[in-house]
């Protein structure tokens, strides 16, 4: 989901600006806690659940959420929370890969285009236009079709669909920084093009790009979940969050928790990520 | 996307017919250049999607031909491959395909042997109904959220309204769709999934699509309203004793509409991309479903045509918005005269 449009919107002016150095608002702390928890799930899933994510107890199938199984069990008697926890590593890693591709490729394109200008900028500009012209999710679907269906490829496809947004932001930041006095000074004192670019332009243009990267991390989780939902990720018994929702679809009538729990986990994580991103963005405007 | 906004600057202009004619000529050349750009982007999008899809290892045709059970002779195989143009180098295939597409020939499906144009043509009405309804609902929802954010007194209710867009945007649309189906179709029996194209079913599917899309529009609208409410004219209007509703409707709404119109064009991409999942969940026979079938059967011509069609719609609608922009905004209309 391309989100060029998101960035300005998220800087909604209404929130009271906290003074520098003050404690961040409670919602930000809560969001950070959610993300830390999910990161911990990804790194050490065994610490959080005693059940097996792939093997269930057939007698315990379709148990509603309760004290024994917090989020209930599925059609094979597998504990849903365990599956969500074990699926988080894959979901988080693939979102990270997607954002890394977006930042690295998009950032490089924007940096080079904005700094060099001229025909290089014009060519890169057209490429970015084309990438923006294809609806993001469709572009991801096309790329994953070409690469083959698995979660790693879905991550790459999501990254490709995010390249344009990063390229555009990086370019505008470089254009803003490029005319600064200190860049002028660095050039006059004999810095080579590459040196000035990497040493002076890049660090000053990076902050908003990082704030966008946090936001895009949340969006990448959604896109990858969407691709997994359609079956373009790893096949079962993998337990990517989108795949869990898709698996639960068949049992929506009598076991709605199989859809609701993984779906809400996605929503809460993405919401937390976007809250953090907005907080970082406000810090910049302060 | 708003090239017009950056290319023209506000300023005073001497009245006179020659000035008006000059403005018209400038607008004409701007419109022409912008249209040319859009067409180039669409053509390049075709090339990009073609090349990406050319990387698919194998295709349904070769898979069928090489299956010994089908018993094709080598000669027949070559004939069939030649019919689909598979025997030529990729670049030649690209040029032929692009040339045909420019003449409106989209080729033949590799899995159903139907003309691609017919397959997509049949699916368009369903997707069009879904997309237009979704966009209308999204705009309505965003307008309500935006106005509430200004009219509600500061407090928990206002904060809730302001945090709704972020929540909408974070919820996967397949979750929204499945919950709506569960509650509205199964529990309340308001519509039936057996008739996915019925008006009620379309409305619910459109709502699924509209919720995340409305969030993006609402975010821009709310920010724009906040910005214009900080302007002097808004404070003057308030201090003159105008009720807040009137201030919002008469003084804040118009300047806030321009950025909102721009974002409506941009979220069209979300509507087109999101229709893929929404149509699948609701079982609609639209372009999204065609794409999904083409993906699973690796039907390159169909996938190519459907994706480029989406890109074309997206680019064209944004072109129209860009061209309307100088006409909507008086500051841009008098524009370049001062230079």
């Amino acid at each position: 989901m391309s989100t060029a449009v998101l960035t300005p919107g998220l800087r909604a002016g209404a929130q009271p600006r906290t003074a520098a150095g003050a404690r961040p608002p409670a919602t930000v702390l809560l969001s950070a806690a959610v993300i830390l928890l999910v990161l911990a799930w990804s790194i050490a899933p065994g610490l959080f659940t005693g059940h097996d994510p792939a093997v269930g107890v057939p007698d315990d199938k379709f148990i509603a959420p309760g004290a024994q199984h917090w989020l209930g069990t599925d059609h094979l008697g597998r504990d849903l929370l365990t599956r969500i926890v074990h699926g988080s590593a894959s979901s988080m890693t693939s979102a990270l890969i997607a954002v890394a591709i977006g930042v690295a490729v998009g950032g490089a394109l924007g940096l080079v285009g904005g700094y060099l200008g001229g025909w290089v900028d014009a060519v890169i500009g057209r490429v970015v236009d084309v990438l923006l012209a294809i609806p993001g999710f469709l572009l991801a679907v096309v790329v994953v079709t070409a690469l083959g269906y698995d979660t790693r490829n879905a991550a790459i496809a999501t990254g490709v669909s995010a390249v344009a947004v990063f390229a555009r932001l990086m370019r505008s930041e470089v254009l803003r920084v490029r005319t600064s006095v200190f860049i002028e000074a660095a050039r006059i004192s004999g810095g080579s093009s590459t040196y000035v670019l990497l040493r002076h332009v890049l660090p000053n243009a990076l902050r908003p790009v990082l704030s966008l990267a946090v936001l895009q991390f949340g969006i990448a989780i959604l896109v990858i979940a969407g691709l997994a939902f359609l079956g373009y990720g790893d096949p079962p018994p993998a337990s990517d969050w989108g795949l869990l929702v898709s698996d639960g679809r068949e049992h929506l009538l009598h076991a709605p928790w199989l859809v609701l729990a993984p779906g809400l986990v996605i929503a809460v994580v993405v919401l937390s990520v976007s809250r953090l991103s907005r907080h970082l963005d406000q810090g910049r405007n302060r | 996307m708003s090239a017009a906004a950056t290319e023209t600057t506000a300023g005073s202009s001497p009245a006179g017919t020659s000035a008006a004619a000059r403005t018209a000529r400038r607008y004409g050349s701007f419109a022409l250049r912008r249209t040319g750009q859009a067409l180039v982007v669409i053509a390049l999008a075709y090339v990009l999607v073609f090349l990406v899809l050319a990387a698919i290892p194998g295709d349904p045709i070769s898979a069928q031909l090489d299956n010994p059970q089908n018993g094709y002779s080598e000669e027949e195989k070559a004939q069939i491959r030649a019919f689909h143009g598979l025997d030529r180098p990729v670049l030649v295939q690209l040029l032929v395909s692009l040339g045909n597409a420019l003449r409106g020939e989209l080729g033949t499906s590799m899995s159903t042997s139907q003309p691609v144009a017919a397959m997509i043509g049949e699916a368009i009405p369903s997707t069009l109904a879904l997309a237009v309804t979704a966009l209308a609902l999204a705009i309505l929802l965003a307008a309500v959220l935006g106005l509430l954010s200004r009219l509600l007194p500061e407090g928990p209710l206002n904060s809730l309204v302001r945090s709704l867009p972020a929540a909408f945007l974070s919820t996967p649309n397949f979750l929204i769709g499945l919950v709506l189906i569960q509650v509205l179709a199964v529990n309340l029996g308001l519509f039936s999934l057996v008739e996915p194209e019925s008006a009620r079913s379309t409305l619910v599917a459109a709502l699924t699509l509209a919720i995340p899309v409305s969030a993006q529009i609402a975010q821009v609208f709310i920010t724009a309203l906040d910005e214009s409410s900080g302007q002097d004219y808004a404070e003057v209007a308030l201090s003159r004793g105008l009720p807040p509703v009137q201030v919002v409707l008469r003084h804040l709404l118009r300047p806030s509409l321009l950025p909102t119109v721009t974002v409506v064009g941009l979220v069209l991409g979300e509507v087109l991309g999101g229709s893929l999942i929404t149509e699948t969940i609701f079982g609609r026979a639209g372009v999204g479903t065609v794409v999904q079938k083409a993906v699973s059967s690796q039907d390159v011509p169909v996938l190519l045509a459907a994706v480029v069609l989406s890109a074309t719609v997206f680019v064209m609608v944004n072109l129209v918005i860009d061209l309307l922009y100088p006409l909507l905004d008086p500051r841009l209309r008098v524009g370049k005269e001062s230079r």
Side-chain angles (χ1 to χ4, degrees):
Chain A
M1 300 181 192
S2 97
T3 18
V5 282
L6 280 185
T7 5
L10 284 174
R11 231 171 279 152
Q15 277 88 8
R17 296 266 160 83
T18 45
R23 210 167 63 101
T27 48
V28 172
L29 293 176
L30 192 65
S31 306
V34 167
I35 291 162
L36 284 179
L37 175 68
V38 176
L39 285 180
W41 282 0
S42 322
I43 295 166
L47 284 184
F48 295 88
T49 61
H51 301 275
D52 188 301
V55 182
V57 183
D59 287 345
D60 290 351
K61 65 179 179 184
F62 296 127
I63 294 180
Q68 189 66 39
H69 298 280
W70 289 1
L71 296 180
T73 61
D74 67 2
H75 62 292
L76 297 175
R78 296 176 294 195
D79 181 66
L80 186 57
L81 178 62
T82 306
R83 291 187 49 76
I84 292 176
V85 168
H86 281 267
S88 53
S90 170
S91 300
M92 295 306 252
T93 320
S94 37
L96 210 59
I97 294 175
V99 172
I101 292 174
V103 172
V105 180
L109 286 178
L111 193 64
V112 171
Y115 189 71
L116 294 183
W119 66 267
V120 180
D121 190 31
V123 170
I124 292 177
R126 284 296 87 77
V127 173
V128 169
D129 279 351
V130 171
L131 288 174
L132 285 174
I134 303 168
F137 192 69
L138 281 180
L139 182 60
V141 167
V142 167
V143 174
V144 83
T145 307
L147 295 177
Y149 308 142
D150 68 38
T151 298
R152 201 48 52 89
N153 289 342
I156 295 172
T158 309
V160 171
S161 71
V163 160
V165 188
F166 282 105
R168 211 167 50 166
L169 179 66
M170 182 61 109
R171 177 175 181 274
S172 72
E173 285 301 313
V174 169
L175 289 183
R176 183 179 62 79
V177 175
R178 198 175 66 165
T179 48
S180 315
V181 178
F182 66 90
I183 300 290
E184 227 25 52
R187 250 194 243 138
I188 291 169
S189 44
S192 75
S193 221
T194 326
Y195 176 81
V196 175
L197 190 65
L198 294 182
R199 191 61 209 263
H200 295 286
V201 177
L202 184 60
N204 285 289
L206 211 53
R207 171 101 204 228
V209 174
L210 288 184
S211 154
L212 177 67
V214 176
L215 184 70
Q216 280 288 333
F217 182 75
I219 287 149
I221 294 177
L222 281 179
V223 174
I224 291 167
L227 292 173
F229 179 81
L230 289 176
Y232 304 152
D234 282 344
S239 58
D240 284 80
W241 295 340
L243 185 63
L244 287 177
V245 177
S246 158
D247 283 350
R249 237 181 111 186
E250 293 168 41
H251 312 291
L252 184 61
L253 277 182
H254 56 276
W257 61 87
L258 289 177
V259 163
L260 288 178
L264 287 176
V265 166
I266 300 173
V268 168
V269 172
V270 176
L271 190 59
S272 303
V273 171
S274 86
R275 184 70 190 88
L276 271 193
S277 160
R278 202 168 50 194
H279 183 67
L280 292 176
D281 221 33
Q282 272 175 8
R284 175 161 68 96
N285 291 345
R286 200 143 60 206
Chain B
M1 282 287 169
S2 58
T6 52
E7 277 173 25
T8 52
T9 49
S12 60
S13 71
T17 47
S18 69
R22 223 165 33 233
T23 312
R25 240 193 343 269
R26 286 224 170 89
Y27 179 75
S29 78
F30 155 72
L32 218 62
R33 201 174 56 243
R34 199 52 200 76
T35 310
Q37 267 178 13
L39 295 178
V40 169
V41 164
I42 292 170
L44 289 178
Y46 191 96
V47 172
L48 176 76
V49 177
F50 185 96
L51 291 179
V52 171
L53 290 178
I56 296 181
D59 55 78
I61 303 263
S62 300
Q64 270 179 32
L65 292 182
D66 294 335
N67 186 343
Q69 282 187 340
N70 288 338
Y72 287 110
S73 70
E74 285 303 318
E75 202 173 315
E76 283 167 329
K77 282 186 195 174
Q79 258 180 7
I80 296 173
R81 283 211 177 89
F83 174 76
H84 286 284
L86 294 174
D87 54 343
R88 285 173 285 188
V90 172
L91 279 180
V92 177
Q93 284 185 40
L94 169 63
L95 289 177
V96 171
S97 159
L98 191 58
N100 286 342
L102 286 177
R103 289 201 308 274
E105 288 169 29
L106 300 176
T108 313
S109 159
M110 283 184 176
S111 61
T112 65
S113 300
Q114 273 182 296
V116 173
M119 285 174 71
I120 292 181
E122 280 168 21
I124 285 180
S126 166
T127 299
L128 195 66
L130 177 69
V132 169
T133 319
L135 212 52
L137 281 176
I139 293 171
L140 191 71
L141 207 55
V144 170
L145 287 177
L147 295 181
L148 282 180
S149 80
R150 271 286 115 206
L151 295 177
L152 288 174
E154 278 198 29
L157 209 57
N158 193 311
S159 311
L160 178 73
V161 166
R162 284 171 180 275
S163 60
L164 273 184
F168 285 176
L169 215 49
S170 305
T171 313
N173 66 349
F174 48 81
L175 179 66
I176 298 175
L178 292 174
V179 168
L180 286 178
I181 286 177
Q182 171 73 17
V183 173
L184 298 181
V186 179
N187 293 359
L188 299 176
L190 288 182
F191 72 102
S192 156
L193 280 176
V194 184
E195 302 163 18
E197 312 288 336
S198 70
R200 281 181 175 187
S201 190
T202 304
L203 199 63
V204 180
L207 185 62
T208 304
L209 204 48
I211 286 177
V213 169
S214 76
Q216 298 197 14
I217 305 174
Q219 282 179 334
V220 172
F221 188 41
I222 290 176
T223 309
L225 282 174
D226 284 344
E227 258 165 33
S228 43
S229 76
Q231 303 284 325
D232 290 342
Y233 61 78
E235 308 215 340
V236 168
L238 266 180
S239 62
R240 265 170 49 211
L242 275 180
V245 182
Q246 281 210 19
V247 175
V248 170
L249 293 182
R250 285 181 39 192
H251 296 282
L252 303 187
L253 197 56
R254 276 196 60 181
S256 309
L257 281 184
L258 284 167
T260 312
V261 168
T262 309
V263 81
V264 167
L266 295 179
V267 294
L268 185 67
E270 313 284 301
V271 174
L272 295 171
S275 64
L276 192 63
I277 288 182
T278 309
E279 287 177 3
T280 309
I281 293 177
F282 285 83
R284 300 171 63 86
V287 178
T289 312
V290 170
V291 167
Q292 229 221 321
K293 279 183 190 151
V295 165
S296 53
S297 60
Q298 312 233 310
D299 196 343
V300 173
V302 175
L303 192 52
L304 176 66
V307 171
V308 174
L309 174 72
S310 296
T312 305
V313 171
F314 179 75
V315 170
M316 281 308 181
V317 169
N318 280 290
L319 170 68
V320 170
I321 289 176
D322 263 14
L323 293 183
L324 285 179
Y325 222 92
L327 306 179
L328 291 176
D329 190 342
R331 286 168 304 182
L332 301 178
R333 193 159 44 211
V334 281
K336 289 185 175 175
E337 291 309 313
S338 55
R339 278 191 198 161

